[in-house]
Amino acid sequence: MSEVIPLLEKLQNLEITLNEAEILHGDRPEVDDLKKKCQDIRRQIDTDALARYDRLSRHGLSVVKIINDMCMGCHMIIPKGDLNRMTSGKEDAICPNCGRYLIL
Amino acid sequence: MKLKPFVSADKVVLNLESGSQGDILKQLMLPLVKVGNMIANEEEFLSDLITRENEVTTVMENGIAFPHARSEAVNRLCLVVGLAPDGIQFSPEKGNTSKVIFLIGVPSFAPTAHIPILQSLATFAKDEVRLEKLLAAKTPAQAVKVLATYKG
Ligand SMILES: [Zn+2]
């Protein structure tokens, strides 16, 4: 599971860039290029993970950082035990509170 | 989105000088460096800005530019307004010169925090009357007033 997160993070970053470009350029060719790049990444991701990502995206970010043990999506502290299990691969890197994918 | 909380006289550069893209970005970053706690690493932020610019240009068709980057080197969402009434070349491959450049720093832990500001600024940039007023600013305070009273 955790190996899909870097790809989801890449997709999220590219989709933010796409959003920025749409704001600045509307429908110019540069925007289409970005759309294609997003589609290329989407094709590399397992459909369940992608569905989950899209569900989370409706409420903001799907993939978030952890700063000082805090999930940057819901701002709750993630228990140290959970974090240890996530980094050692024994537990999926998903926030126990909001369910967002975590960048470890 | 009101721009008022994000604009202040100490983050206005009235007469941007022409130069390379990096030179122009450095002039815009200077107020953030002076404030002290906005940018953790100047070089890293500059490099992230250029990387983002190369991904897809931030120069609008009318020449107004919005260089921005989500960066580990940015501590807080921040905006700098740069004016060049005679126009300067920000992006080498873009024909239009830029008279107004908005620099936005976005912390990597809040990578979409700037979207409402970008939307407001993009709408502002299409309003020629407002742009003229902004470009006529003789002091940073006058420039701030034009942006802070905008209700885009
Ligand atoms: Zn969370």
Side-chain angles (χ1 to χ4, degrees):
Chain A
M1 208 291 298
S2 293
E3 61 278 1
V4 77
I5 293 178
L7 216 48
L8 290 172
E9 187 191 8
K10 198 174 161 193
L11 175 63
Q12 179 170 276
N13 279 326
L14 205 57
E15 288 183 340
I16 297 171
T17 306
L18 173 64
N19 189 4
E20 293 165 351
E22 281 173 336
I23 292 169
L24 297 179
H25 309 306
D27 265 338
R28 285 205 315 203
E30 296 98 314
V31 177
D32 288 336
D33 286 350
L34 282 170
K35 279 185 188 159
K36 276 192 205 96
K37 280 185 191 157
C38 290
Q39 286 309 325
D40 288 344
I41 299 180
R42 282 180 169 271
R43 270 193 285 274
Q44 297 170 46
I45 303 170
D46 158 82
T47 46
D48 287 347
L50 205 53
R52 195 160 185 284
Y53 167 91
D54 284 331
R55 225 168 25 245
L56 289 163
S57 295
R58 281 184 231 129
H59 312 283
L61 297 168
S62 307
V63 189
V64 295
K65 291 194 179 248
I66 304 166
I67 293 180
N68 299 328
D69 295 350
M70 191 192 278
C71 164
M72 285 291 107
C74 64
H75 298 98
M76 295 292 280
I77 297 288
I78 302 164
K80 279 260 190 264
D82 283 321
L83 279 175
N84 288 338
R85 283 190 294 278
M86 287 176 201
T87 33
S88 61
K90 290 181 193 128
E91 191 175 314
D92 287 344
I94 284 179
C95 172
N97 183 55
C98 69
R100 288 181 174 91
Y101 292 105
L102 298 168
I103 302 164
L104 294 174
Chain B
M1 170 96 193
K2 290 213 174 87
L3 294 167
K4 199 176 175 187
F6 299 98
V7 286
S8 58
D10 57 354
K11 294 203 266 337
V12 175
V13 182
L14 280 185
N15 287 295
L16 284 171
E17 286 168 24
S18 61
S20 69
Q21 189 169 83
D23 291 339
I24 297 170
L25 289 171
K26 277 184 197 162
Q27 293 174 61
L28 287 159
M29 278 165 57
L30 202 58
L32 300 176
V33 176
K34 279 183 185 161
V35 174
N37 60 348
M38 294 279 192
I39 304 294
N41 183 327
E42 247 175 285
E43 286 304 311
E44 189 183 337
F45 183 39
L46 180 64
S47 148
D48 289 339
L49 284 166
I50 292 172
T51 304
R52 170 61 187 83
E53 201 58 41
N54 291 339
E55 217 176 340
V56 55
T57 180
T58 65
V59 184
M60 260 173 46
E61 232 154 346
N62 63 359
I64 311 299
F66 304 77
H68 59 270
R70 294 158 250 148
S71 174
E72 301 269 352
V74 175
N75 295 329
R76 271 165 54 193
L77 182 62
C78 48
L79 170 69
V80 178
V81 184
L83 305 180
D86 297 328
I88 53 174
Q89 197 75 38
F90 176 69
S91 193
E93 70 277 15
K94 292 274 142 195
N96 281 329
T97 57
S98 302
K99 292 184 176 180
V100 182
I101 304 183
F102 296 106
L103 172 76
I104 309 172
V106 188
S108 60
F109 60 81
T112 52
H114 62 305
I115 295 293
I117 297 179
L118 194 64
Q119 268 161 341
S120 277
L121 290 174
T123 315
F124 177 92
K126 288 171 191 151
D127 183 336
E128 284 184 30
V129 179
R130 296 270 181 179
L131 273 181
E132 284 306 318
K133 267 193 188 168
L134 181 62
L135 281 165
K138 293 281 176 282
T139 64
Q142 284 172 4
V144 167
K145 200 178 165 197
V146 178
L147 287 161
T149 53
Y150 181 66
K151 292 176 181 72

